[in-house]
Amino acid sequence: MAQDELNLSMFKAYDIRTKEEKLNAGIIRRLLSSVACYMKDTLGCSTIVMGHDARLGVPGLMQEALDMFPYFGLDLIVNPLQISTPQFYFACMQNPKACGIMFTASHNPGEYVGMKMIMPPMAPITYGSGPEGGIAKIKELYVENKAPSLTANLGKVTVKRYLDQYMDYSMELAKTGIHSLDGLDILCDFLSGAAGTEITEALTYCGANVKTLHLVPNGRFPAGDPNPIILSSIEDAQNHMKDGDYDFGLLFDGDGDRMDVMASNSLQLAPSFNFSILMPQITALYRTTYPHISTYADVKANPIAQRIQAHYASVKLIRNGHSFIKEALMDEQKTGTIAACEESGHYYMNFPYDVEDPSKGYAAVESTMFFALLTARCYLENPQAYKRAAELQKSVYREREWPLYCEAAPEKMPQILADVEKRMKEMGAVVIDRMDDGSDLDATLMRFNLPERIDGGTDLSKTKWAQVAQRISRSEDAMVRWEVVSNDKTECERLNSIIREIADGYVEKGFARY
């Protein structure tokens, strides 16, 4: 098979992801054989945990793996029902010596399929990360059409459901239980994804009155792309929040590893603000273990929210990318770096394998069930904190991250970003492109009248400030992104206009599109 027929673009920075139409039976078998070869021969795994979300194309991928992998001598632990990626991670935590494959394409449109993969001990497999290069090695094996040798003894397939244990674990860690959320009215929109069953069951068990939208998993995603930052997808939720009497709303993406909070007036509260409210409870979980606690904030995190968080922990900037952030949390466990938040709605934490005995170690993963329960608990205990957060957010003007598509000329993406950076520097911006440890931020943060490091003493009230974040997306094809935030509406609009003026030049030449 010629290389241009192999769909090599499906090997992404953090996972494998492609449109289903680009896969045929031969490519699927070839791909799964290369993954099995990597996990068995390179990693030395004998057991693989598997799960899948709601999208229509992934059950077939999982079934093909169930049919193939036992012939390679691999044992499989599988839940054949739709589950969220966080529930899959919990299943992997119960089998820490196993590898894991989650069949999902996250928040992408329904025509996409893919795989997120992990290796012992709960480490993400990414492009360039993992023995012999992780996904880069899988790609090499795929091109070479490699497969593990067949074995005389078939591997065993075990069906295992972890939802009850996952609920018990999450409630214990969030310090919630039966009747603990009595009196709360919560609207949940699952966008027909995989998180509806588990989140609704947990919140309802704890006493919350939950109104659900798009609860039934449906890989056709009738409300729109399963991404809560797409306004057209959450229009139904916004209308319900405006017309109903709910304390707050929760919005989830297709595989349930992203969570957005919606205030009663339908305002989407930036995840960094919700994270700042949760911070006292999160840091309390680790105070007896670490003398000094740190958290990560992504390049788009609201400066006001960062300042609030800095009252409870040192806040360090980190590059975007769920796998990269989890790797960093794992690497920094011993230093007391415990959690992270992305403005895309991803919340991360070093979750203890055993709530009662943290000495057994931690796994850096997402768990929207834990964060949903903790958000509900914090709202019930201090609703004024959410009202203040909403007011603070309204005092800041923000155009949520917007894209420019460069399929016609992906090689132009670095130049587009360089043009924006040059213009911002000419206007007096401080440019940040390195994390605290000196490594590449994989993005550019340009700040006006803001320090490079924001702490609890940073005064944001006396001057006009602004922040511009830009990056090349590592999870979507040929896309660059920008987000501007400022405490001055005119400045926010001006900076956005300057960026769009630069982008327009590339659109007019046919190199890009909106």
PDB file of all heavy atoms in Angstrom, residues 57-68:
ATOM      1  N   GLY A  57     -18.802   5.314  15.204  1.00  0.00           N
ATOM      2  CA  GLY A  57     -17.745   4.532  14.588  1.00  0.00           C
ATOM      3  C   GLY A  57     -16.877   3.742  15.535  1.00  0.00           C
ATOM      4  O   GLY A  57     -16.149   2.836  15.101  1.00  0.00           O
ATOM      5  N   VAL A  58     -16.924   4.026  16.850  1.00  0.00           N
ATOM      6  CA  VAL A  58     -15.951   3.384  17.743  1.00  0.00           C
ATOM      7  C   VAL A  58     -16.334   1.972  18.199  1.00  0.00           C
ATOM      8  O   VAL A  58     -15.425   1.172  18.470  1.00  0.00           O
ATOM      9  CB  VAL A  58     -15.633   4.288  18.959  1.00  0.00           C
ATOM     10  CG1 VAL A  58     -14.852   5.511  18.509  1.00  0.00           C
ATOM     11  CG2 VAL A  58     -16.880   4.699  19.718  1.00  0.00           C
ATOM     12  N   PRO A  59     -17.620   1.605  18.307  1.00  0.00           N
ATOM     13  CA  PRO A  59     -17.890   0.207  18.679  1.00  0.00           C
ATOM     14  C   PRO A  59     -17.280  -0.788  17.694  1.00  0.00           C
ATOM     15  O   PRO A  59     -16.782  -1.852  18.094  1.00  0.00           O
ATOM     16  CB  PRO A  59     -19.420   0.130  18.693  1.00  0.00           C
ATOM     17  CG  PRO A  59     -19.873   1.517  18.973  1.00  0.00           C
ATOM     18  CD  PRO A  59     -18.881   2.376  18.246  1.00  0.00           C
ATOM     19  N   GLY A  60     -17.306  -0.459  16.407  1.00  0.00           N
ATOM     20  CA  GLY A  60     -16.712  -1.355  15.419  1.00  0.00           C
ATOM     21  C   GLY A  60     -15.215  -1.499  15.603  1.00  0.00           C
ATOM     22  O   GLY A  60     -14.654  -2.594  15.439  1.00  0.00           O
ATOM     23  N   LEU A  61     -14.539  -0.393  15.956  1.00  0.00           N
ATOM     24  CA  LEU A  61     -13.103  -0.461  16.222  1.00  0.00           C
ATOM     25  C   LEU A  61     -12.817  -1.345  17.424  1.00  0.00           C
ATOM     26  O   LEU A  61     -11.902  -2.183  17.402  1.00  0.00           O
ATOM     27  CB  LEU A  61     -12.545   0.948  16.461  1.00  0.00           C
ATOM     28  CG  LEU A  61     -12.385   1.868  15.260  1.00  0.00           C
ATOM     29  CD1 LEU A  61     -11.868   3.219  15.703  1.00  0.00           C
ATOM     30  CD2 LEU A  61     -11.440   1.261  14.242  1.00  0.00           C
ATOM     31  N   MET A  62     -13.590  -1.147  18.491  1.00  0.00           N
ATOM     32  CA  MET A  62     -13.377  -1.972  19.677  1.00  0.00           C
ATOM     33  C   MET A  62     -13.640  -3.441  19.379  1.00  0.00           C
ATOM     34  O   MET A  62     -12.876  -4.315  19.805  1.00  0.00           O
ATOM     35  CB  MET A  62     -14.265  -1.511  20.840  1.00  0.00           C
ATOM     36  CG  MET A  62     -14.129  -2.403  22.075  1.00  0.00           C
ATOM     37  SD  MET A  62     -15.314  -2.030  23.383  1.00  0.00           S
ATOM     38  CE  MET A  62     -14.403  -0.777  24.270  1.00  0.00           C
ATOM     39  N   GLN A  63     -14.715  -3.731  18.644  1.00  0.00           N
ATOM     40  CA  GLN A  63     -15.026  -5.127  18.339  1.00  0.00           C
ATOM     41  C   GLN A  63     -13.900  -5.771  17.530  1.00  0.00           C
ATOM     42  O   GLN A  63     -13.545  -6.933  17.765  1.00  0.00           O
ATOM     43  CB  GLN A  63     -16.336  -5.217  17.572  1.00  0.00           C
ATOM     44  CG  GLN A  63     -16.793  -6.650  17.309  1.00  0.00           C
ATOM     45  CD  GLN A  63     -17.019  -7.430  18.600  1.00  0.00           C
ATOM     46  OE1 GLN A  63     -17.816  -7.038  19.436  1.00  0.00           O
ATOM     47  NE2 GLN A  63     -16.291  -8.531  18.766  1.00  0.00           N
ATOM     48  N   GLU A  64     -13.330  -5.022  16.601  1.00  0.00           N
ATOM     49  CA  GLU A  64     -12.219  -5.562  15.822  1.00  0.00           C
ATOM     50  C   GLU A  64     -11.030  -5.872  16.721  1.00  0.00           C
ATOM     51  O   GLU A  64     -10.368  -6.899  16.568  1.00  0.00           O
ATOM     52  CB  GLU A  64     -11.820  -4.570  14.726  1.00  0.00           C
ATOM     53  CG  GLU A  64     -10.822  -5.110  13.719  1.00  0.00           C
ATOM     54  CD  GLU A  64     -11.387  -6.219  12.849  1.00  0.00           C
ATOM     55  OE1 GLU A  64     -12.609  -6.235  12.608  1.00  0.00           O
ATOM     56  OE2 GLU A  64     -10.596  -7.084  12.415  1.00  0.00           O
ATOM     57  N   ALA A  65     -10.777  -4.982  17.699  1.00  0.00           N
ATOM     58  CA  ALA A  65      -9.694  -5.245  18.647  1.00  0.00           C
ATOM     59  C   ALA A  65      -9.997  -6.471  19.504  1.00  0.00           C
ATOM     60  O   ALA A  65      -9.105  -7.293  19.788  1.00  0.00           O
ATOM     61  CB  ALA A  65      -9.471  -4.021  19.527  1.00  0.00           C
ATOM     62  N   LEU A  66     -11.254  -6.606  19.927  1.00  0.00           N
ATOM     63  CA  LEU A  66     -11.642  -7.778  20.727  1.00  0.00           C
ATOM     64  C   LEU A  66     -11.472  -9.072  19.926  1.00  0.00           C
ATOM     65  O   LEU A  66     -11.138 -10.127  20.489  1.00  0.00           O
ATOM     66  CB  LEU A  66     -13.092  -7.642  21.185  1.00  0.00           C
ATOM     67  CG  LEU A  66     -13.378  -6.580  22.243  1.00  0.00           C
ATOM     68  CD1 LEU A  66     -14.883  -6.443  22.452  1.00  0.00           C
ATOM     69  CD2 LEU A  66     -12.700  -6.913  23.546  1.00  0.00           C
ATOM     70  N   ASP A  67     -11.692  -8.979  18.618  1.00  0.00           N
ATOM     71  CA  ASP A  67     -11.539 -10.164  17.776  1.00  0.00           C
ATOM     72  C   ASP A  67     -10.070 -10.490  17.518  1.00  0.00           C
ATOM     73  O   ASP A  67      -9.696 -11.664  17.419  1.00  0.00           O
ATOM     74  CB  ASP A  67     -12.253  -9.953  16.430  1.00  0.00           C
ATOM     75  CG  ASP A  67     -13.768  -9.886  16.579  1.00  0.00           C
ATOM     76  OD1 ASP A  67     -14.282 -10.354  17.607  1.00  0.00           O
ATOM     77  OD2 ASP A  67     -14.425  -9.346  15.663  1.00  0.00           O
ATOM     78  N   MET A  68      -9.218  -9.469  17.408  1.00  0.00           N
ATOM     79  CA  MET A  68      -7.826  -9.665  17.020  1.00  0.00           C
ATOM     80  C   MET A  68      -6.885  -9.938  18.184  1.00  0.00           C
ATOM     81  O   MET A  68      -6.058 -10.860  18.147  1.00  0.00           O
ATOM     82  CB  MET A  68      -7.317  -8.430  16.254  1.00  0.00           C
ATOM     83  CG  MET A  68      -7.919  -8.209  14.898  1.00  0.00           C
ATOM     84  SD  MET A  68      -7.343  -6.643  14.170  1.00  0.00           S
ATOM     85  CE  MET A  68      -5.564  -6.882  14.148  1.00  0.00           C
TER      86      MET A  68
END
